[in-house]
Amino acid sequence: MSISVFELFKIGVGPSSSHTVGPMVAAKQFVCDLEARNELVKTERVEVHLYGSLALTGIGHGTDMAVLMGLEGEAPDTIDVDRIDARLAAIDEHQQLILNGTRAIHFEKARDLQFHKEVFLPQHSNGMTCKAFAGGELLFQRSYFSIGGGFVLSEEDFQHKDQIATLLPYDFSSAHEMMEICERHGWSIAELAMENEKAFRSEQEVKDGLWRIWEVMDASIQRGCHQKGILPGGLGVRRRAAEHYRELSKQTDEERRQGLSILDWVSLFALAVNEENAARGRIVTAPTNGAAGVIPATIAYYVQFVHEPEKHGDLKDQVVEFMLTAGAVGMLFKKNASISAAEVGCQGEIGVACSMASAGLASVQGGTNQQIENAAEIGMEHNLGLTCDPIGGLVQVPCIERNTMGAVKAINAARLALRGDGAHIVPLDSVIETMRQTGIDMQSKYKETSLGGLAVNEVNC
C-alpha cells in the first residue's frame, strides 16, 4: 500500500479523523457512488447504519453531524465550519436532506441514522453501511470503513487494499528498507520521501502543499489562543488556551526563552489546536484529529525557539523537511500497525504523532538518519500501551492535555537522540511491531469505545 504524506496530513474538521472526517468522506462517497450509477435522481430515502466504535462514541465525536454533512455533499477540507450548527438545526426542523447538494429527500434522523452499539463489522471496528431506497425498494447499499487518520475504504476496496497503490520509485515497507535506500543513494529520509512524493505531484507542488498544511496548523494555533468559552458536548470543559496565552504574553523575551517557560509555550500550542478540534474547528490530521496538536506544537517550538535563518536556512524548506521526515515515519506505522485508536488504542494516535514529531524535529536540527530513526523509536517506545478512553465519547478529556504531553515528549525524544550517535538497542521496526501486538492484546474497552478506563471511572479520579 503506497501512501503519500498528504494522506497523513489532511486539512479537515474536528473533533475526530476516524469518527468525523472519515464518516463525512464515506457519506459523500456514497452519494457520489449513487450519482455515478444514475440512481441519485431516483433516491427517495437513505439510511445510514453505524457499527462498533462509530456507534459507541459517535455522538461525542460528531459522527452524526459528519454523516449528514457528507450526504449533503460536503468535504472535510472545504466545509464552512461556522455554518454546521445552523445546517444541522435546519435538517432537524424541516426533516429534509439535500443529497449531494441537488436531491431533496425526507429524512427522519431517529429512523434513518441508526447506531448499532453491540455490533462490529468483521473488517474493522469503524464500519458503516449506507442504503438508498426508492418506492420502498432497496436501490443500492455499500459499506465503508474509517480506518484511521481520515482514510476510508469501501467494502470492495477493503478486500483489495494491498493492491490499491501508486507505483513509487523507491517504495519501502520497513524502517530497515528505508534506511538502506537512503544509504545507497546518499539521501536523507526527507529526500527519499520527496523522491516518492514526485510520483504524485511536482516537487514545487509538494513544497507548496506542505507549507499550506503548516499555515493551517499555525492558524489553528492562533485561533485557539484567542477563543474562550465552554467546549460543546456537555462535559462543561472550559477552553484554557486563551487564558494561558494572555499570561505567557506578559513575559519578557528573556523569560520566554527560559527552559520551563518554553515548555509552557509548547503545551499552549498543543492545547490551542486540540481545543479547536474539540470545538469542530479547522485543523489538520497529523496523523489523526485526536493527536492533531502534537506535530503543530513541535513545529511551532522549532519555528519560535530554535530556527535561525543564518544557521538553518529558509524556514519553508525546514518545515517541508520536517513534514517529509515525519510523514515517512508515519507511513511505516500506517503500513505495519495502525494509526486508529479504535484498533490499537491511543498509542496509535498520540504515540504515532509523537514518533513522527520526534523524527521531524531531529531532522531539522541536523540529525543523521540513524539519529532520526532513534528519535522516532524513542517517541513511540514511551507511549506503548496508551489507551483510548475518552470521557463521554468526546475528544476532550484526557485527549486535549494528552497532546501537550505528546509534544513535550517528542522534543525530549529528539534531544535524547541528538545527544547520541544514532546507535540504539531497539530498532524502529521492532517498536512498531510491539505497538501492533500490544494493540491486539489490548481489551476492546480501551479502544475508543468509552467503555473502560477514565470514561467510566472519572467520578473517582
Side-chain angles (χ1 to χ4, degrees):
M1 180 171 59
S2 302
I3 303 171
S4 165
V5 66
F6 291 100
E7 295 176 73
L8 294 168
F9 298 123
K10 296 189 294 294
I11 298 171
V13 59
S16 170
S17 49
S18 59
H19 287 57
T20 314
V21 175
M24 189 181 297
V25 170
K28 178 178 173 62
Q29 184 59 53
F30 178 66
V31 292
C32 289
D33 290 343
L34 278 174
E35 190 163 50
R37 295 166 57 91
N38 296 317
E39 290 177 333
L40 183 63
V41 294
K42 306 174 189 175
T43 300
E44 297 173 354
R45 186 167 73 87
V46 295
E47 287 181 1
V48 178
H49 298 260
L50 302 170
Y51 298 95
S53 181
L54 287 185
L56 286 162
T57 61
I59 296 296
H61 283 62
T63 306
D64 50 344
M65 170 276 292
V67 168
L68 299 186
M69 293 297 97
L71 289 174
E72 290 206 332
E74 295 288 357
D77 60 334
T78 56
I79 188 171
D80 183 348
V81 295
D82 293 324
R83 293 192 60 241
I84 290 176
D85 288 341
R87 291 179 63 180
L88 293 175
I91 290 170
D92 287 341
E93 180 182 355
H94 303 294
Q95 293 192 324
Q96 184 183 75
L97 277 179
I98 312 297
L99 297 181
N100 211 26
T102 59
R103 173 71 174 173
I105 64 165
H106 182 69
F107 184 84
E108 297 179 23
K109 190 174 178 180
R111 178 195 67 183
D112 299 327
L113 182 58
Q114 299 186 24
F115 294 78
H116 304 277
K117 296 183 178 181
E118 298 182 358
V119 181
F120 287 73
L121 297 183
Q123 295 92 334
H124 195 277
S125 53
N126 285 337
M128 57 187 281
T129 299
C130 302
K131 301 179 179 182
F133 299 87
E137 298 294 324
L138 180 66
L139 273 178
F140 175 63
Q141 75 171 46
R142 179 161 284 167
S143 293
Y144 303 87
F145 302 93
S146 179
I147 62 173
F151 288 81
V152 171
L153 294 175
S154 69
E155 188 169 11
E156 294 80 4
D157 290 340
F158 202 93
Q159 297 172 1
H160 308 288
K161 60 180 179 178
D162 292 332
Q163 302 171 23
I164 303 172
T166 296
L167 185 62
L168 299 181
Y170 304 99
D171 202 3
F172 54 88
S173 296
S174 67
H176 179 72
E177 289 181 0
M178 178 181 73
M179 299 292 280
E180 277 195 334
I181 294 171
C182 287
E183 184 176 358
R184 184 161 62 248
H185 293 275
W187 290 336
S188 68
I189 293 171
E191 288 169 335
L192 167 59
M194 176 61 84
E195 289 301 315
N196 282 331
E197 284 301 316
K198 288 192 289 188
F200 300 99
R201 51 189 62 84
S202 72
E203 182 171 337
Q204 191 59 50
E205 287 174 324
V206 174
K207 291 181 177 180
D208 292 343
L210 290 176
W211 183 253
R212 169 60 181 154
I213 291 292
W214 163 242
E215 288 180 324
V216 175
M217 288 179 170
D218 187 46
S220 67
I221 292 175
Q222 300 307 320
R223 190 171 193 276
C225 283
H226 293 88
Q227 299 299 308
K228 301 177 182 179
I230 304 297
L231 293 171
L235 284 183
V237 175
R238 181 174 58 86
R239 295 182 74 140
R240 293 175 287 170
E243 181 180 337
H244 289 358
Y245 176 71
R246 185 176 63 254
E247 290 301 313
L248 290 173
S249 295
K250 296 176 183 178
Q251 296 174 334
T252 65
D253 286 343
E254 182 179 352
E255 290 172 333
R256 187 172 183 265
R257 291 189 170 273
Q258 291 177 355
L260 292 179
S261 181
I262 290 176
L263 293 187
D264 289 339
W265 280 96
V266 172
S267 294
L268 168 65
F269 300 148
L271 199 71
V273 172
N274 283 84
E275 287 181 352
E276 278 296 286
N277 180 61
R280 296 179 181 172
R282 175 78 64 220
I283 50 83
V284 174
T285 64
T288 67
N289 284 35
V294 175
I295 290 174
T298 308
I299 297 177
Y301 158 76
Y302 174 76
V303 170
Q304 297 200 26
F305 296 102
V306 179
H307 180 259
E308 299 174 19
E310 63 280 4
K311 180 179 179 181
H312 300 109
D314 181 70
L315 180 60
K316 180 175 181 179
D317 289 339
Q318 292 295 97
V319 169
V320 168
E321 178 183 334
F322 186 113
M323 289 192 176
L324 286 171
T325 306
V329 169
M331 292 172 197
L332 294 173
F333 284 98
K334 178 65 181 171
K335 289 179 179 180
N336 298 307
S338 176
I339 59 171
S340 169
E343 281 190 303
V344 296
C346 199
Q347 60 175 356
E349 298 204 21
I350 292 292
V352 173
C354 181
S355 182
M356 293 169 66
S358 303
L361 185 58
S363 180
V364 294
Q365 291 187 277
T368 65
N369 286 341
Q370 290 72 28
Q371 289 171 318
I372 293 167
E373 190 221 6
N374 188 197
E377 179 270 324
I378 295 171
M380 172 51 75
E381 186 175 19
H382 302 287
N383 281 290
L384 289 172
L386 192 60
T387 60
C388 181
D389 48 358
I391 296 175
L394 298 165
V395 191
Q396 297 180 15
V397 183
C399 319
I400 295 173
E401 288 180 353
R402 190 167 282 176
N403 275 262
T404 71
M405 304 305 291
V408 170
K409 227 181 241 191
I411 294 169
N412 197 33
R415 290 176 64 85
L416 281 171
L418 291 171
R419 290 286 183 184
D421 61 4
H424 50 287
I425 300 298
V426 181
L428 178 56
D429 286 328
S430 295
V431 83
I432 292 174
E433 174 59 17
T434 301
M435 189 269 268
R436 186 189 70 83
Q437 292 175 3
T438 303
I440 292 173
D441 293 340
M442 190 180 291
Q443 294 183 43
S444 62
K445 67 181 180 179
Y446 298 118
K447 299 180 186 179
E448 207 168 6
T449 60
S450 289
L451 297 176
L454 287 177
V456 298
N457 292 314
E458 78 276 6
V459 293
N460 297 318
C461 293

